[in-house]
Amino acid sequence: AQSVTQLGSHVSVSEGALVLLRCNYSSSVPPYLFWYVQYPNQGLQLLLKYTTGATLVKGINGFEAEFKKSETSFHLTKPSAHMSDAAEYFCAVSVGTGANNLFFGTGTRLTVIP
Amino acid sequence: KAGVTQTPRYLIKTRGQQVTLSCSPISGHRSVSWYQQTPGQGLQFLFEYFSETQRNKGNFPGRFSGRQFSNSRSEMNVSTLELGDSALYLCASSLDGQGSGYTFGSGTRLTVV
């Protein structure tokens, strides 16, 4: 069975500081991994995804994530936080072939302090 | 190109009623998935349709159903509404429902009173 754990339901960083949002997954087969961002009263916007190939994935808005199979992790980072990064972030995993669906973590709300 | 369109954006219904939500996927996308988002349960998968066939289903009661039309547009129906059905319902479209990724709509906010 697949599952996703996001450590820290709330993370606060100062503007300009490093953003690190943690995600660990559980999967019996190689997964596809995703990070989504959700702004208030909005749907989910894809930040980046890992399917195969290079384990360091670059996404939109300066975010990147590294797939570490040995640690079953897919942490999201951004070198310098901006006020506009304040939102809720969701890590998700998709496994298998054919009919797929996303298993989401519980989300991490990021607050950026000016 | 146009994104995923969900209608209506907001809906208020009374317990016991039924409701139908609509989702128009990105042109060319054949997979449509539905998710329920609540503060207590988070994001949960409802079902996925591909080429008019339900391929996958989450752990929801039979009151929740869906369908997909030949143009890939999808509808979701909830019958005999309960207060606990109040949620943001999100639709996601994908080329193939796999690693190509999923694009989400803005959702339909359903409130059951």
Side-chain angles (χ1 to χ4, degrees), chain B residues 33-48:
Chain B
S33 303
W34 289 88
Y35 291 83
Q36 181 196 65
Q37 185 177 25
T38 60
Q41 300 297 318
L43 282 152
Q44 293 186 287
F45 171 72
L46 280 155
F47 28 66
E48 187 246 3

Side-chain angles (χ1 to χ4, degrees), chain B residues 7-70:
Chain B
T7 56
R9 283 282 279 134
Y10 301 92
L11 208 48
I12 300 176
K13 289 286 188 179
T14 304
R15 266 184 307 174
Q17 287 187 312
Q18 76 163 19
V19 67
T20 299
L21 312 181
S22 179
C23 172
S24 293
I26 290 171
S27 178
H29 284 194
R30 297 167 66 190
S31 167
V32 174
S33 303
W34 289 88
Y35 291 83
Q36 181 196 65
Q37 185 177 25
T38 60
Q41 300 297 318
L43 282 152
Q44 293 186 287
F45 171 72
L46 280 155
F47 28 66
E48 187 246 3
Y49 287 86
F50 183 84
S51 294
E52 302 179 66
T53 301
Q54 187 183 88
R55 291 198 302 188
N56 201 0
K57 188 176 189 302
N59 189 26
F60 278 81
R63 299 186 298 107
F64 291 81
S65 63
R67 59 178 175 168
Q68 187 180 35
F69 302 94
S70 59

Side-chain angles (χ1 to χ4, degrees), chain B residues 54-92:
Chain B
Q54 187 183 88
R55 291 198 302 188
N56 201 0
K57 188 176 189 302
N59 189 26
F60 278 81
R63 299 186 298 107
F64 291 81
S65 63
R67 59 178 175 168
Q68 187 180 35
F69 302 94
S70 59
N71 62 358
S72 292
R73 188 178 71 87
S74 177
E75 289 182 347
M76 188 192 112
N77 185 274
V78 188
S79 63
T80 320
L81 284 166
E82 300 177 359
L83 295 178
D85 297 332
S86 295
L88 179 66
Y89 290 89
L90 292 164
C91 164

Side-chain angles (χ1 to χ4, degrees), chain A residues 32 36 38 41 49 100-102, chain B residues 35 37 56 97 99-100 102:
Chain A
Y32 295 154
Y36 283 89
Q38 186 176 36
N41 297 315
K49 64 179 180 181
N100 273 343
N101 59 275
L102 292 169
Chain B
Y35 291 83
Q37 185 177 25
N56 201 0
S100 59
Y102 306 81

